[in-house]
Amino acid sequence: MSPVRMSAGPELLLLPLALLVLQASRCHGACVEVDSDTEAVANEGFKLGCISCKMRGEVVAWASVNWFFKASDETNFSHLYSYENQDGLIIDSRFYKRLGWKGSKHTNDLQDGSIFIRNVTYNDTGTYLCIFYRTLQYSNYDYPTITKKIMTINVVPQFTRGLASILSEVMMYVTIIGLQFWLLVEMIYCYRKISVAGEEALRESAAEYLAIASESKDNCASVQVAE
């Protein structure tokens, strides 16, 4: 019985490690509220970012998004776009056939309300307002929330990267590398801890096996003396 336990030891040590890797691969990325770019290039596409993270991930929520636009020579906002129940509607005629949804696909977990403008023109320069209407649905009541994000977009003939954009990209890569390093350290730590526990179990099994063998030898010697 003891030799069987000893041979199965390494395989048992690899099982928790494999489960850890599978669990890590199933994890979903966390929601991060990143500011939208503020510089668009004429005649190209441009994504207007608007992210509103749901703070209570375990609570079911329903959400809708509305966009508003105010040109540089205007004083009031006009309704630009509406997204609700997985259906988007372009309201401002200046953006007909040029505007599309670029955010989350599920209304009950809507956190990204970004839109995309095709064939940007200089007339698209101005201020954009994104409003998230979210209702957290608890067991006894509903809790409505409103999140507003405002951004000023400037249309230029050629793209020039600003310092904020470069820093944001650098921080993104640093975060990704840091998370990967942390996961690697956790996997190594767990593997070593399991290895030490397995070695102790193997030593105990070996000692038990030797004790049984020694006892059996002593019993055989006693029987021979008695004969």
Side-chain angles (χ1 to χ4, degrees), residues 139-156:
S139 57
N140 298 325
Y141 67 98
D142 293 342
Y143 182 75
T145 63
I146 298 177
T147 302
K148 297 182 179 180
K149 294 182 179 294
I150 192 169
M151 61 210 76
T152 301
I153 305 302
N154 184 34
V155 179
V156 296

PDB file of all heavy atoms in Angstrom, residues 139-156:
ATOM      1  N   SER A 139     -33.331  43.115  -3.832  1.00  0.00           N
ATOM      2  CA  SER A 139     -34.482  42.227  -3.628  1.00  0.00           C
ATOM      3  C   SER A 139     -35.737  42.993  -3.215  1.00  0.00           C
ATOM      4  O   SER A 139     -36.856  42.615  -3.575  1.00  0.00           O
ATOM      5  CB  SER A 139     -34.145  41.177  -2.558  1.00  0.00           C
ATOM      6  OG  SER A 139     -33.756  41.815  -1.344  1.00  0.00           O
ATOM      7  N   ASN A 140     -35.561  44.098  -2.475  1.00  0.00           N
ATOM      8  CA  ASN A 140     -36.726  44.826  -1.959  1.00  0.00           C
ATOM      9  C   ASN A 140     -36.961  46.175  -2.630  1.00  0.00           C
ATOM     10  O   ASN A 140     -38.025  46.767  -2.461  1.00  0.00           O
ATOM     11  CB  ASN A 140     -36.580  45.042  -0.447  1.00  0.00           C
ATOM     12  CG  ASN A 140     -36.526  43.723   0.317  1.00  0.00           C
ATOM     13  OD1 ASN A 140     -37.185  42.768  -0.065  1.00  0.00           O
ATOM     14  ND2 ASN A 140     -35.747  43.689   1.387  1.00  0.00           N
ATOM     15  N   TYR A 141     -35.968  46.684  -3.356  1.00  0.00           N
ATOM     16  CA  TYR A 141     -36.141  47.995  -3.962  1.00  0.00           C
ATOM     17  C   TYR A 141     -35.143  48.182  -5.100  1.00  0.00           C
ATOM     18  O   TYR A 141     -34.181  47.427  -5.231  1.00  0.00           O
ATOM     19  CB  TYR A 141     -35.950  49.103  -2.925  1.00  0.00           C
ATOM     20  CG  TYR A 141     -34.555  49.219  -2.396  1.00  0.00           C
ATOM     21  CD1 TYR A 141     -33.651  50.161  -2.893  1.00  0.00           C
ATOM     22  CD2 TYR A 141     -34.102  48.376  -1.384  1.00  0.00           C
ATOM     23  CE1 TYR A 141     -32.357  50.259  -2.418  1.00  0.00           C
ATOM     24  CE2 TYR A 141     -32.805  48.468  -0.896  1.00  0.00           C
ATOM     25  CZ  TYR A 141     -31.952  49.409  -1.402  1.00  0.00           C
ATOM     26  OH  TYR A 141     -30.675  49.493  -0.923  1.00  0.00           O
ATOM     27  N   ASP A 142     -35.396  49.210  -5.920  1.00  0.00           N
ATOM     28  CA  ASP A 142     -34.496  49.591  -7.013  1.00  0.00           C
ATOM     29  C   ASP A 142     -33.808  50.902  -6.658  1.00  0.00           C
ATOM     30  O   ASP A 142     -34.449  51.822  -6.121  1.00  0.00           O
ATOM     31  CB  ASP A 142     -35.274  49.750  -8.323  1.00  0.00           C
ATOM     32  CG  ASP A 142     -35.836  48.431  -8.819  1.00  0.00           C
ATOM     33  OD1 ASP A 142     -35.350  47.380  -8.358  1.00  0.00           O
ATOM     34  OD2 ASP A 142     -36.761  48.451  -9.657  1.00  0.00           O
ATOM     35  N   TYR A 143     -32.518  50.983  -6.974  1.00  0.00           N
ATOM     36  CA  TYR A 143     -31.740  52.176  -6.645  1.00  0.00           C
ATOM     37  C   TYR A 143     -31.198  52.802  -7.927  1.00  0.00           C
ATOM     38  O   TYR A 143     -30.264  52.282  -8.537  1.00  0.00           O
ATOM     39  CB  TYR A 143     -30.593  51.823  -5.703  1.00  0.00           C
ATOM     40  CG  TYR A 143     -29.766  53.013  -5.276  1.00  0.00           C
ATOM     41  CD1 TYR A 143     -30.247  53.920  -4.339  1.00  0.00           C
ATOM     42  CD2 TYR A 143     -28.500  53.231  -5.829  1.00  0.00           C
ATOM     43  CE1 TYR A 143     -29.498  55.006  -3.944  1.00  0.00           C
ATOM     44  CE2 TYR A 143     -27.741  54.323  -5.446  1.00  0.00           C
ATOM     45  CZ  TYR A 143     -28.241  55.209  -4.499  1.00  0.00           C
ATOM     46  OH  TYR A 143     -27.494  56.294  -4.119  1.00  0.00           O
ATOM     47  N   PRO A 144     -31.771  53.924  -8.362  1.00  0.00           N
ATOM     48  CA  PRO A 144     -31.315  54.562  -9.619  1.00  0.00           C
ATOM     49  C   PRO A 144     -30.061  55.413  -9.382  1.00  0.00           C
ATOM     50  O   PRO A 144     -29.916  56.076  -8.353  1.00  0.00           O
ATOM     51  CB  PRO A 144     -32.507  55.419 -10.019  1.00  0.00           C
ATOM     52  CG  PRO A 144     -33.173  55.762  -8.718  1.00  0.00           C
ATOM     53  CD  PRO A 144     -32.949  54.586  -7.798  1.00  0.00           C
ATOM     54  N   THR A 145     -29.174  55.409 -10.361  1.00  0.00           N
ATOM     55  CA  THR A 145     -27.978  56.240 -10.319  1.00  0.00           C
ATOM     56  C   THR A 145     -27.783  56.901 -11.677  1.00  0.00           C
ATOM     57  O   THR A 145     -28.214  56.375 -12.710  1.00  0.00           O
ATOM     58  CB  THR A 145     -26.717  55.426  -9.977  1.00  0.00           C
ATOM     59  OG1 THR A 145     -26.488  54.452 -11.002  1.00  0.00           O
ATOM     60  CG2 THR A 145     -26.872  54.724  -8.633  1.00  0.00           C
ATOM     61  N   ILE A 146     -27.129  58.063 -11.667  1.00  0.00           N
ATOM     62  CA  ILE A 146     -26.826  58.793 -12.895  1.00  0.00           C
ATOM     63  C   ILE A 146     -25.351  59.173 -12.873  1.00  0.00           C
ATOM     64  O   ILE A 146     -24.861  59.737 -11.889  1.00  0.00           O
ATOM     65  CB  ILE A 146     -27.691  60.056 -13.039  1.00  0.00           C
ATOM     66  CG1 ILE A 146     -29.180  59.688 -13.132  1.00  0.00           C
ATOM     67  CG2 ILE A 146     -27.282  60.841 -14.285  1.00  0.00           C
ATOM     68  CD1 ILE A 146     -30.090  60.905 -13.207  1.00  0.00           C
ATOM     69  N   THR A 147     -24.639  58.843 -13.954  1.00  0.00           N
ATOM     70  CA  THR A 147     -23.225  59.199 -14.089  1.00  0.00           C
ATOM     71  C   THR A 147     -23.047  60.011 -15.362  1.00  0.00           C
ATOM     72  O   THR A 147     -23.494  59.605 -16.430  1.00  0.00           O
ATOM     73  CB  THR A 147     -22.343  57.938 -14.150  1.00  0.00           C
ATOM     74  OG1 THR A 147     -22.552  57.153 -12.975  1.00  0.00           O
ATOM     75  CG2 THR A 147     -20.872  58.311 -14.242  1.00  0.00           C
ATOM     76  N   LYS A 148     -22.385  61.155 -15.221  1.00  0.00           N
ATOM     77  CA  LYS A 148     -22.165  62.046 -16.364  1.00  0.00           C
ATOM     78  C   LYS A 148     -20.670  62.177 -16.641  1.00  0.00           C
ATOM     79  O   LYS A 148     -19.873  62.328 -15.730  1.00  0.00           O
ATOM     80  CB  LYS A 148     -22.758  63.431 -16.092  1.00  0.00           C
ATOM     81  CG  LYS A 148     -24.274  63.438 -15.903  1.00  0.00           C
ATOM     82  CD  LYS A 148     -24.788  64.853 -15.676  1.00  0.00           C
ATOM     83  CE  LYS A 148     -26.296  64.865 -15.510  1.00  0.00           C
ATOM     84  NZ  LYS A 148     -26.810  66.251 -15.295  1.00  0.00           N
ATOM     85  N   LYS A 149     -20.331  62.118 -17.916  1.00  0.00           N
ATOM     86  CA  LYS A 149     -18.952  62.314 -18.345  1.00  0.00           C
ATOM     87  C   LYS A 149     -18.958  63.289 -19.517  1.00  0.00           C
ATOM     88  O   LYS A 149     -19.702  63.098 -20.482  1.00  0.00           O
ATOM     89  CB  LYS A 149     -18.303  60.987 -18.741  1.00  0.00           C
ATOM     90  CG  LYS A 149     -18.132  60.016 -17.570  1.00  0.00           C
ATOM     91  CD  LYS A 149     -17.435  58.747 -17.999  1.00  0.00           C
ATOM     92  CE  LYS A 149     -17.255  57.799 -16.816  1.00  0.00           C
ATOM     93  NZ  LYS A 149     -16.336  58.354 -15.800  1.00  0.00           N
ATOM     94  N   ILE A 150     -18.115  64.311 -19.418  1.00  0.00           N
ATOM     95  CA  ILE A 150     -18.061  65.340 -20.441  1.00  0.00           C
ATOM     96  C   ILE A 150     -16.651  65.412 -21.013  1.00  0.00           C
ATOM     97  O   ILE A 150     -15.668  65.228 -20.294  1.00  0.00           O
ATOM     98  CB  ILE A 150     -18.492  66.708 -19.866  1.00  0.00           C
ATOM     99  CG1 ILE A 150     -18.719  67.713 -20.983  1.00  0.00           C
ATOM    100  CG2 ILE A 150     -17.529  67.195 -18.816  1.00  0.00           C
ATOM    101  CD1 ILE A 150     -19.399  68.991 -20.515  1.00  0.00           C
ATOM    102  N   MET A 151     -16.558  65.626 -22.318  1.00  0.00           N
ATOM    103  CA  MET A 151     -15.247  65.649 -22.983  1.00  0.00           C
ATOM    104  C   MET A 151     -15.304  66.628 -24.155  1.00  0.00           C
ATOM    105  O   MET A 151     -16.346  66.766 -24.813  1.00  0.00           O
ATOM    106  CB  MET A 151     -14.854  64.251 -23.461  1.00  0.00           C
ATOM    107  CG  MET A 151     -15.805  63.648 -24.465  1.00  0.00           C
ATOM    108  SD  MET A 151     -15.897  61.842 -24.394  1.00  0.00           S
ATOM    109  CE  MET A 151     -16.899  61.595 -22.915  1.00  0.00           C
ATOM    110  N   THR A 152     -14.197  67.297 -24.385  1.00  0.00           N
ATOM    111  CA  THR A 152     -14.079  68.235 -25.505  1.00  0.00           C
ATOM    112  C   THR A 152     -13.171  67.633 -26.567  1.00  0.00           C
ATOM    113  O   THR A 152     -12.019  67.292 -26.288  1.00  0.00           O
ATOM    114  CB  THR A 152     -13.516  69.586 -25.027  1.00  0.00           C
ATOM    115  OG1 THR A 152     -14.383  70.133 -24.028  1.00  0.00           O
ATOM    116  CG2 THR A 152     -13.403  70.561 -26.185  1.00  0.00           C
ATOM    117  N   ILE A 153     -13.706  67.495 -27.783  1.00  0.00           N
ATOM    118  CA  ILE A 153     -12.986  66.854 -28.880  1.00  0.00           C
ATOM    119  C   ILE A 153     -12.534  67.909 -29.885  1.00  0.00           C
ATOM    120  O   ILE A 153     -13.321  68.764 -30.301  1.00  0.00           O
ATOM    121  CB  ILE A 153     -13.869  65.802 -29.581  1.00  0.00           C
ATOM    122  CG1 ILE A 153     -14.400  64.790 -28.555  1.00  0.00           C
ATOM    123  CG2 ILE A 153     -13.077  65.082 -30.668  1.00  0.00           C
ATOM    124  CD1 ILE A 153     -13.332  64.070 -27.776  1.00  0.00           C
ATOM    125  N   ASN A 154     -11.285  67.825 -30.278  1.00  0.00           N
ATOM    126  CA  ASN A 154     -10.721  68.728 -31.272  1.00  0.00           C
ATOM    127  C   ASN A 154     -10.317  67.925 -32.502  1.00  0.00           C
ATOM    128  O   ASN A 154      -9.593  66.928 -32.396  1.00  0.00           O
ATOM    129  CB  ASN A 154      -9.505  69.454 -30.689  1.00  0.00           C
ATOM    130  CG  ASN A 154      -8.945  70.483 -31.664  1.00  0.00           C
ATOM    131  OD1 ASN A 154      -9.686  71.109 -32.408  1.00  0.00           O
ATOM    132  ND2 ASN A 154      -7.622  70.645 -31.662  1.00  0.00           N
ATOM    133  N   VAL A 155     -10.801  68.313 -33.663  1.00  0.00           N
ATOM    134  CA  VAL A 155     -10.487  67.623 -34.919  1.00  0.00           C
ATOM    135  C   VAL A 155      -9.278  68.293 -35.557  1.00  0.00           C
ATOM    136  O   VAL A 155      -9.266  69.511 -35.767  1.00  0.00           O
ATOM    137  CB  VAL A 155     -11.686  67.640 -35.882  1.00  0.00           C
ATOM    138  CG1 VAL A 155     -11.329  66.938 -37.188  1.00  0.00           C
ATOM    139  CG2 VAL A 155     -12.890  66.974 -35.230  1.00  0.00           C
ATOM    140  N   VAL A 156      -8.263  67.495 -35.877  1.00  0.00           N
ATOM    141  CA  VAL A 156      -7.001  68.012 -36.436  1.00  0.00           C
ATOM    142  C   VAL A 156      -6.706  67.296 -37.748  1.00  0.00           C
ATOM    143  O   VAL A 156      -7.209  66.199 -38.009  1.00  0.00           O
ATOM    144  CB  VAL A 156      -5.837  67.794 -35.441  1.00  0.00           C
ATOM    145  CG1 VAL A 156      -6.068  68.591 -34.163  1.00  0.00           C
ATOM    146  CG2 VAL A 156      -5.666  66.311 -35.119  1.00  0.00           C
TER     147      VAL A 156
END
